Amino acid sequence: MGVRVTYHSFRGSGGESKKMWAVYLIIFVVGFAFIGGGLWNLISKQTKIDGYVKIEAYVQDYKESVKSHYDDNGFYHETTTYAEIVSYYVDGKVYFATNNVSSSSPKRIGSKIEIAYDPQDPSDCIFVNSAYQLTIIMMCVGGFCFIVGFIILALEIKKRNQN
């Protein structure tokens, strides 16, 4: 009773097939990298937040950013986004912080936002809900690329094995 080993060549009818395999593999690896980066970002932010003290801050004002661009038809557009400026109290002293994530629909002035501050340096704070937005984006992009790359690779392998 012997063991039969079959080797498959992924070289199609020339260099074109190799190039396609490289593209599929790159998509797959990029997806994997984005997922890994998202996990790293999640763990590092969560570790930092866990060492901080969570409190409610109050929206005092906004930092306005205007970005302008021309679309494909040559029309000029402006997009305005707002980053909340909040105040919070630690040991009777007031601190101010500006959210590093802006949006076109910020929270109302006077509304509450959860932040976490460093007990050793209360001026160092993180906007808790904003901390995870990069993680979510990275995981979504990574998941999409990973799944697309995996499906394309699996279909290509299946097609090659049938030939």
Side-chain angles (χ1 to χ4, degrees):
M1 179 181 250
V3 176
R4 183 174 173 196
V5 178
T6 306
Y7 294 97
H8 295 280
S9 172
F10 294 113
R11 276 185 284 158
S13 59
E16 192 64 34
S17 182
K18 269 188 171 179
K19 288 178 187 174
M20 290 309 296
W21 269 93
V23 169
Y24 302 152
L25 206 53
I26 288 171
I27 291 171
F28 185 73
V29 170
V30 165
F32 194 72
F34 268 92
I35 290 171
L39 286 173
W40 176 82
N41 189 50
L42 174 67
I43 291 167
S44 65
K45 291 287 186 193
Q46 190 59 49
T47 301
K48 191 171 183 179
I49 288 172
D50 286 346
Y52 282 22
V53 177
K54 291 182 182 178
I55 62 169
E56 297 291 330
Y58 295 91
V59 177
Q60 300 296 320
D61 201 357
Y62 307 111
K63 178 182 172 189
E64 185 177 295
S65 297
V66 179
K67 294 180 180 141
S68 57
H69 68 279
Y70 288 92
D71 65 16
D72 293 339
N73 297 322
F75 292 105
Y76 179 79
H77 296 278
E78 284 187 351
T79 304
T80 305
T81 59
Y82 306 90
E84 295 93 354
I85 299 172
V86 299
S87 66
Y88 57 100
Y89 290 89
V90 177
D91 297 329
K93 184 175 179 188
V94 66
Y95 294 89
F96 292 91
T98 303
N99 197 342
N100 59 359
V101 176
S102 59
S103 73
S104 58
S105 55
K107 298 226 178 213
R108 290 188 332 264
I109 290 179
S111 61
K112 295 178 186 179
I113 293 181
E114 184 179 30
I115 63 157
Y117 70 87
D118 182 351
Q120 304 301 318
D121 178 13
S123 65
D124 181 20
C125 74
I126 297 172
F127 287 73
V128 175
N129 291 335
S130 298
Y132 300 108
Q133 287 182 346
L134 178 62
T135 298
I136 292 167
I137 291 167
M138 289 181 77
M139 297 293 274
C140 288
V141 169
F144 177 76
C145 290
F146 185 82
I147 290 169
V148 168
F150 182 80
I151 289 171
I152 291 172
L153 280 171
L155 291 173
E156 190 66 25
I157 290 170
K158 183 178 177 184
K159 184 173 104 177
R160 297 227 184 235
N161 286 338
Q162 289 174 349
N163 291 342

